[in-house]
Amino acid sequence: MELLSPAGNVEKLFYAYAYGADAAYIGLKKFSLRVKADNFYEDEYKKVQALKEQFPGRRLHCALNISFHDEEIDALKANLDYFKQYPIDAFIVQDIGIVPLLQKEFPNAQLHLSTQASCVNSEAVKMYKSLGFSRIVLGREISINQIRRIKDSVPDMELETFVHGAMCIAYAGRCLMSAYLTGRSAQSGFCSHTCRWNFKVDGKPDSENLEAARALAQSGLLTLEEQQRPGEKFPVFEGDDFTAILSSKDLRMIEHLSDLRDAGVDSLKIEGRMKSVYYVAMVTRAYRKALDALDGKLSEAEAAPYIDELDNVAHRESTTGFYYNKSNADETTTGASDSKYQLAAEIGGEITASDFEALYAEGHSRYDQSQKELEAMHPQAREARLKDLEVHPDRRIESFEKKDGWYMYECKGMNMIRAGEEIEFVSPDFCSLKVPAGEWEIIDSETGLKMNWTCDGHPTAIYLKHKLPSGTLLRTLDPDYEEGKIRDTGR
């Protein structure tokens, strides 16, 4: 089975490929259902072309999955020459109105039907096949047994299903709630996730029974039951005066990949073009290892640590959705996605040879100059300066020293990294690597001087006792994370 990962920008596309995706899906601005994702435009096609060369055999799927108005079709036609510069293997579409245009202008690209089209039966699959589609991204409301029936009916049609990520409470994501409450349309990919919000069970302020009503709401005894669906009950539990009855759990199918394979699924899709680099890398890696174990390329015991790492990626409670029992999809949860880890830095290329020597020389030159300036100072001024450096060690000028068996890498900081603490790396090649204080240093990549801390916006290199593979990420424990507590996301 193909592993298909999300890529909201060219950076995430690299990590999707590096961490094991067979294919990745991107969006193009104005024509994708994820307008909040960075999406691809301008000259990024050059970087995408380079990545396809760096990772030969990997595929690129492009989502053109909005419902097109006439003016948007005009815009698509006006941008055709630009789009043709991308090495696109397949287009993901829901609007059949653009199918003839894509078939004419991109004769070598496949057509994949978007999950937004809600295709969940074999007759619809046959119809889309007659229109030239080679793959169906099945509606999320489908079961394992229904997938098997479709595959048996149309065996030469590729079937793709979602296996991991956020689920929408609305049918195939067709929701007006966000647009109604915030003016941000989910159908344009700008969903504010209002279904995740907490709602208050309220009454008139002067009601004598208000406190009794709240007590009942917090008792766990209340449920919602639709008139025509007797027996299907949705729990309504109010905690801290608010309740979430619309917030669906996240989908997680990593423990059930053999069932999807046996049902005839050809591609496993991870949700999340709006998610972080860390999410893309870690989730892709976990499913890559699980698939490799399923194919006998490594043992289940070898894959297990990577799968366990899914708990260290921002997520809600999980469910198997509609695959086995519809009641699983009915279960709700509260709060935003959360993780005890934060992505601290992306590790770039190794700094070697002349670049390393130049940085070493620069650092020592600056150190020597600072010592000369210190010696030239009046004794009292020098004493004051030295006392100041004791109080403010960040102001010290100290060059790094060469160490045998150590390696230096470019380091793109994102969150605070402090020298003297343990740090942890993850990569495509190893599950995790904890490096204690004393086995690594932070270096200013412009001055060659040692740093006590770094974060986003500071030119940084990391010097350490370990060889790191391409695509390595540095993570640290999030100081604001509290186990069991839902944080305010600043919605």
Side-chain angles (χ1 to χ4, degrees), residues 187-397:
Q187 283 302 95
S188 296
F190 205 44
C191 184
S192 59
H193 298 281
T194 51
C195 59
R196 316 291 184 194
W197 298 1
N198 291 322
F199 295 87
K200 189 174 184 179
V201 178
D202 210 347
K204 294 181 180 180
D206 58 353
S207 171
E208 296 179 0
N209 297 317
L210 180 56
E211 290 304 319
R214 286 181 173 171
L216 178 60
Q218 293 175 4
S219 70
L221 299 176
L222 286 179
T223 60
L224 287 180
E225 184 178 25
E226 203 275 324
Q227 182 180 11
Q228 301 299 321
R229 294 167 175 77
E232 294 188 25
K233 298 183 179 182
F234 296 84
V236 180
F237 177 76
E238 182 179 285
D240 297 326
D241 293 331
F242 291 92
T243 182
I245 61 173
L246 300 173
S247 179
S248 58
K249 292 184 177 182
D250 284 358
L251 180 64
R252 172 173 168 145
M253 285 292 289
I254 198 164
E255 289 86 5
H256 309 282
L257 301 186
S258 61
D259 289 346
L260 293 171
R261 177 198 60 192
D262 295 344
V265 172
D266 298 282
S267 179
L268 306 176
K269 189 169 193 172
I270 297 169
E271 177 275 337
R273 269 189 290 141
M274 291 166 59
K275 300 288 181 67
S276 67
V277 161
Y278 181 67
Y279 170 94
V280 171
M282 299 297 284
V283 176
T284 297
R285 188 181 71 168
Y287 277 82
R288 175 76 276 150
K289 298 300 183 181
L291 279 172
D292 288 347
L294 187 63
D295 293 337
K297 297 178 181 178
L298 71 165
S299 69
E300 291 185 3
E302 291 171 318
Y306 297 92
I307 296 172
D308 291 342
E309 283 289 338
L310 286 178
D311 291 332
N312 292 325
V313 182
H315 66 285
R316 299 179 184 87
E317 292 180 279
S318 63
T319 175
T320 55
F322 291 86
Y323 285 118
Y324 297 103
N325 189 322
K326 188 174 68 171
S327 63
N328 293 333
D330 291 341
E331 297 175 357
T332 60
T333 188
T334 59
S337 298
D338 211 350
S339 169
K340 68 179 181 180
Y341 283 104
Q342 61 184 3
L343 178 59
E346 298 174 14
I347 305 303
E350 186 177 355
I351 300 173
T352 60
S354 59
D355 291 336
F356 178 90
E357 294 297 336
L359 191 60
Y360 176 78
E362 179 69 20
H364 277 265
S365 174
R366 289 174 180 260
Y367 173 76
D368 292 342
Q369 181 63 33
S370 70
Q371 292 300 109
K372 291 178 182 178
E373 293 175 357
L374 191 63
E375 290 298 324
M377 295 175 70
H378 186 278
Q380 290 181 333
R382 182 166 60 249
E383 184 179 356
R385 171 68 63 83
L386 292 173
K387 288 182 178 179
D388 179 70
L389 292 177
E390 289 180 8
V391 177
H392 302 98
D394 285 351
R395 298 175 184 174
R396 292 176 183 170
I397 295 178

